[in-house]
Amino acid sequence: MTTPRVEADLGWALGRVTRAHMRTAQDVVSDLPGGPRGYHVLAGLEEGPPRTQLALARSLGVDRTVMTYLLDELEGAGLVARRPDPADRRARQVLLTDVGRERLCALERRLREAEDELLAPLEPAERDQLRTLLQRLATGGDGATACQVAAEIQEMQADDTC
């Protein structure tokens, strides 16, 4: 019986690809206020109606105090705007500005190009299949949304701090 090589280990392969993706993505968003977190905020604001600052923080699994500082930076760069929530004047809605939307589109193009370079050893159909399979694994295969997964992560982090 032969001992499997490390390259056959799922954890090793996922870790190596994850680290390469993180380096690549960090390079793409390095000049964005907040880096990867700033990108996730912009992407989280792209779809749906305006959300409150607190709802956005919860959906992304970001501490609300950290979210405040992050939004301050993004707002200072003209990428987001905050306004009082018409339903609750104590809360603030966060909106993607036109400049923020343009920046997000540019970042998404650059990220896709970087991902294609990372996945270059795969055929285009294999890339799509890999993305689909990883999304299914990431959401637990139970149809969970990214927001639900982020909430679970935030709960686990809160449990770890006790």
Side-chain angles (χ1 to χ4, degrees):
M1 180 180 209
T2 60
T3 305
R5 296 180 50 168
V6 70
E7 291 87 353
D9 181 74
L10 177 63
W12 178 86
L14 288 173
R16 185 169 166 119
V17 171
T18 298
R19 286 187 297 277
H21 184 270
M22 288 173 61
R23 280 191 304 273
T24 300
Q26 179 63 43
D27 289 346
V28 169
V29 300
S30 63
D31 63 339
L32 180 70
R37 280 188 174 170
Y39 169 77
H40 289 129
V41 167
L42 297 181
L45 292 172
E46 182 181 31
E47 296 180 12
R51 292 195 277 172
T52 66
Q53 190 169 317
L54 183 57
L56 181 62
R58 286 182 179 155
S59 72
L60 296 176
V62 175
D63 177 81
R64 65 182 183 205
T65 303
V66 172
M67 180 59 76
T68 299
Y69 290 116
L70 183 54
L71 290 175
D72 287 347
E73 290 182 45
L74 292 168
E75 191 171 35
L79 303 173
V80 302
R82 290 181 274 196
R83 68 177 184 203
D85 184 345
D88 179 358
R89 305 285 290 164
R90 296 168 296 172
R92 310 278 287 163
Q93 287 183 335
V94 185
L95 307 158
L96 194 59
T97 64
D98 290 341
V99 172
R101 189 168 279 103
E102 289 172 17
R103 183 77 178 271
L104 176 62
C105 288
L107 287 169
E108 287 174 340
R109 279 191 302 275
R110 289 176 53 206
L111 282 169
R112 187 60 177 223
E113 290 167 4
E115 288 174 358
D116 285 343
E117 188 176 314
L118 176 69
L119 299 175
L122 302 177
E123 296 296 323
E126 291 174 315
R127 295 175 196 180
D128 291 340
Q129 183 179 23
L130 177 63
R131 283 184 171 96
T132 299
L133 293 171
L134 287 173
Q135 288 166 351
R136 189 182 325 157
L137 283 172
T139 59
D142 58 5
T145 66
C147 294
Q148 290 166 327
V149 173
E152 289 174 15
I153 292 169
Q154 191 173 25
E155 287 175 20
M156 289 189 312
Q157 291 172 340
D159 291 344
D160 287 344
T161 59
C162 296

